[in-house]
């Protein structure tokens, strides 16, 4: 099940994303998914630490960013699609892992976040071997650069004590579709961190 939530007036980063030219989702209220029953997800601090660990592995050549964050959903309600795995949560009773999935649905207004059981998703390799689907999406260096932005965003999220809803709004609003090159992600940094929502925050860029 999902619930609708309107972006409140103090979420000023939405205005910055709008200026940059995001998808058409800004024409309507944000539709944010409810956390599945009896599930526990990570906090802002845990998410920041995870991003830091994964970026270290990626920088050391031990992990591919696209392998970790790009998944294929063969049984999506509309049609099979690729997307980003943004967070994970565990169901208390069954220990089932669910993934916060942001799909690449460029063809509709239904581009949205949803919680999907990990068992229903396929990695890039599984998609190719099982479903004969080659990934359509950003290059490795683009995903790597996006994760660097996310790490810096969560430095601020920890300091500002972002709510879970605000995190979902950020994931929903981030203009993944505009990030077609590493240079585009780099160019977006000052737009994002220059808006009033990140006032007085200076990310530590490696």
């Amino acid at each position: 099940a999902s619930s609708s939530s309107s972006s409140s007036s103090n979420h000023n980063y939405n205005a910055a994303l709008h200026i940059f030219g995001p998808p058409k989702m800004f024409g309507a209220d944000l539709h944010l998914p409810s956390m599945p029953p009896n599930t526990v997800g990570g906090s802002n601090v845990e998410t920041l630490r995870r991003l830091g660990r994964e970026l270290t592995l990626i920088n050391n050549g031990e992990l591919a960013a696209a392998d970790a964050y790009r998944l294929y959903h063969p049984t999506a309600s509309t049609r099979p699609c690729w997307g980003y795995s943004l967070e994970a949560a565990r169901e208390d009773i069954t220990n089932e892992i669910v993934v916060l999935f942001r799909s690449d649905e460029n063809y509709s207004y239904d581009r949205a976040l949803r919680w999907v059981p990990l068992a229903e998703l396929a990695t890039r390799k599984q998609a190719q071997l099982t479903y004969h689907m080659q990934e359509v999406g950003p290059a490795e260096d683009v995903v790597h650069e996006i994760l660097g932005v996310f790490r810096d965003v969560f430095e601020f999220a920890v300091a500002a004590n972002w709510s879970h809803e605000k995190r979902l709004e950020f994931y929903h609003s981030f203009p993944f579709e505009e990030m077609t090159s590493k240079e585009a992600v780099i160019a977006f940094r000052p737009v994002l961190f220059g808006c009033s929502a990140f006032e007085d925050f200076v990310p530590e860029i490696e």
Side-chain angles (χ1 to χ4, degrees):
S2 64
S3 62
S4 297
S5 174
S6 299
S7 177
S8 58
S9 60
N10 65 336
H11 295 154
N12 296 318
Y13 57 78
N14 283 344
L17 300 185
H18 199 168
I19 292 171
F20 186 77
K24 296 178 181 178
M25 65 179 70
F26 286 94
D29 291 342
L30 299 181
H31 297 284
L32 307 179
S34 300
M35 179 74 82
N38 304 315
T39 55
V40 178
S43 64
N44 291 327
V45 171
E46 290 168 333
T47 301
L48 176 60
R49 289 173 179 167
R50 171 178 56 79
L51 288 165
R53 288 194 302 269
E54 291 173 344
L55 282 166
T56 297
L57 292 174
I58 293 167
N59 292 336
N60 292 339
E62 301 173 50
L63 176 69
D67 284 343
Y69 281 84
R70 295 288 297 168
L71 294 174
Y72 180 64
H73 192 190
T75 58
S77 58
T78 49
R79 64 179 179 180
C81 61
W82 288 93
Y84 286 86
S85 166
L86 299 172
E87 289 191 6
R90 186 181 297 273
E91 209 278 343
D92 278 341
I93 300 173
T94 65
N95 281 328
E96 180 183 38
I97 296 175
V98 291
V99 171
L100 185 62
F101 186 75
R102 162 74 187 273
S103 56
D104 299 340
E105 296 178 26
N106 295 319
Y107 52 84
S108 76
Y109 289 95
D110 297 329
R111 188 188 300 107
L113 293 172
R114 51 187 177 269
W115 289 100
V116 180
L118 180 60
E120 294 182 8
L121 298 169
T123 64
R124 293 193 302 170
K125 185 175 182 179
Q126 290 169 339
Q128 185 174 4
L129 293 177
T130 304
Y131 303 101
H132 308 291
M133 289 295 301
Q134 199 70 31
E135 184 194 5
V136 177
E140 170 69 14
D141 63 341
V142 176
V143 182
H144 188 178
E145 199 68 34
I146 288 173
L147 292 183
V149 171
F150 276 28
R151 185 266 318 279
D152 294 342
V153 164
F154 271 90
E155 285 185 10
F156 180 83
V158 169
N161 193 28
W162 271 11
S163 66
H164 184 253
E165 180 187 44
K166 184 135 184 173
R167 282 162 56 179
L168 292 184
E169 289 194 5
F170 172 76
Y171 290 137
H172 191 294
S173 303
F174 191 84
F176 289 103
E177 292 78 11
E178 304 292 334
M179 305 292 105
T180 56
S181 68
K182 179 179 178 179
E183 291 72 24
V185 183
I186 293 172
F188 181 60
R189 272 185 168 275
V191 176
L192 179 65
F193 294 113
C195 72
S196 59
F198 293 94
E199 187 174 2
D200 299 324
F201 175 64
V202 180
E204 296 182 6
I205 302 175
E206 296 180 351

